[in-house]
Amino acid sequence: MNLSLMLRVLGVLLLIVSAFMAFSIPIALVFGESGLIWTFLPPIGINLLVFFSGHFFRNRQGSKTLTVRSGYLLVALSWLAVTATGALPFVLSGAIPRYVDAFFETMSGFTTTGASILTDIEGVAKSLLFWRSMTHWLGGMGIVVLTVAIFPLLGIGGLKLMDAEAPGPSLDKFTPRISETAKMLWLMYIGLTLLEVLLLVFGKMSLFDALNHAFATMATGGFSTRNASVGFFRSPYVHVVITVFMMLAGTNFTVYHRLLRGQLRSLRQDSELKTYLFIFFAGSVIIALNLKGFHSSGFFDRLRAAGFQAASILTTTGFTTEDFARWPDLAKAVLFLLMFIGGCAGSTGGGVKVIRFVMLFKQASTELHYLLNPRGIFSVRVSGQIVRKNVIYGVYAFFF
């Protein structure tokens, strides 16, 4: 295990986090919070120290390729390291006095879990809320993926690290070089984020709120700048925009690459995408119909509310516009099922992933065919391609 190489990669990752943390400083100046600038300097200094240490202890004779074991270890250490320093601004500012609480909040951000210990979000300084949302955005696509994107500048091979970070049963490479794939992922991620910000600002949302909610939406994390979450904004337009982008964030990013290359025919064969959209629309319609009598509004208003919550739960974003705990039992049961499904593989969505359920159901169908015809030869096909047995076994292991 090449410890010097691991320290070097970890240093680069922390340097990237420091660069994004520094964006909170101008936010503090804009909102008259200049007294909080110093709270961001110690963690930035610690990250820079680790970065320079990695270069100081650099082993020029060692291997420049990470092994499978070191890749998995480095990913785990990365999440711990960025959380350990990322929590410091909350503690130093006094917004979250206990370090263990700040560590929880920051880890929830980087892992896009969305759980929070804050009770009065609107009472927290704007610069700290911006950093809180930034942890979401960085963790959504993955800081590790961003680090892999700059590996060619370091002369390091990043396939093992990318494999360890891969969010689905398989890692789709857009290009022959894994670093180019990582760059493409981040470019699409940034593009979709900027597009959502523009659309939200067009809907009369402030630029600050638009940025924070776009970060949380594209990361499918759910941190909001408001105590009432997205429900604070009484705009159907804003609700629809965020619903659409939650679904886009939960879609496999390979889909966007195919769209950019004009490969529309391949999308019609995408089993996961079709299943994902069917689950969303079916769940939304069932909930909207069940809300009749509970909501005095018309069907399309109920469908908008149902679609927002279905998208939020299915993609594990966690935004809310209403108190759905008061909804009828059937509506709550549908949301409960959606929570376990999750988004698509290769997306920022959480959960078990739609592709795994597709494989499990197709394998179950194959087993039934075996029972009817024991001498037959059957295979599991997903999106027109045969799935190998070891992939199916991996899905079994993950699911159970």
Side-chain angles (χ1 to χ4, degrees), residues 283 288 319:
F319 281 147

Side-chain angles (χ1 to χ4, degrees), residues 272-397:
E272 182 183 31
L273 178 62
K274 290 187 292 187
T275 306
Y276 172 63
L277 294 176
F278 172 78
I279 291 171
F280 166 69
F281 286 115
S284 300
V285 170
I286 292 172
I287 293 173
L289 292 173
N290 189 229
L291 289 178
K292 185 178 181 180
F294 180 84
H295 265 271
S296 58
S297 54
F299 175 75
F300 288 104
D301 286 333
R302 299 200 308 270
L303 185 61
R304 172 172 53 81
F308 182 95
Q309 213 55 64
S312 179
I313 297 296
L314 178 62
T315 60
T316 70
T317 304
F319 281 147
T320 59
T321 54
E322 299 187 29
D323 183 8
F324 57 85
R326 297 174 55 244
W327 284 2
D329 290 340
L330 177 60
K332 289 189 287 187
V334 172
L335 292 177
F336 186 74
L337 292 174
L338 294 179
M339 178 178 65
F340 286 100
I341 297 173
C344 299
S347 73
T348 63
V352 176
K353 308 292 187 185
V354 173
I355 188 64
R356 292 192 174 98
F357 282 101
V358 171
M359 290 183 182
L360 286 172
F361 277 99
K362 284 183 176 288
Q363 177 63 15
S365 176
T366 300
E367 293 298 328
L368 288 175
H369 281 87
Y370 274 124
L371 291 175
L372 295 173
N373 189 359
R375 295 185 179 182
I377 298 176
F378 306 99
S379 58
V380 175
R381 288 181 177 271
V382 176
S383 302
Q385 297 182 347
I386 296 176
V387 181
R388 292 178 297 177
K389 285 291 184 182
N390 64 319
V391 176
I392 297 294
Y393 297 152
V395 172
Y396 284 157

Side-chain angles (χ1 to χ4, degrees), residues 145 148-149 152 158-159 162-163 171-188 253-254 256-258 260-261 263:
V145 178
V148 169
L159 181 58
M162 193 81 158
D163 283 340
L171 173 65
D172 290 322
K173 293 172 64 178
F174 305 151
T175 64
R177 296 175 62 87
I178 196 67
S179 60
E180 293 298 323
T181 298
K183 289 177 185 176
M184 185 69 71
L185 284 168
W186 264 94
L187 284 174
M188 290 187 289
F253 274 63
T254 306
Y256 307 129
H257 187 256
R258 292 175 187 166
L260 292 173
R261 297 184 64 182
Q263 298 175 350

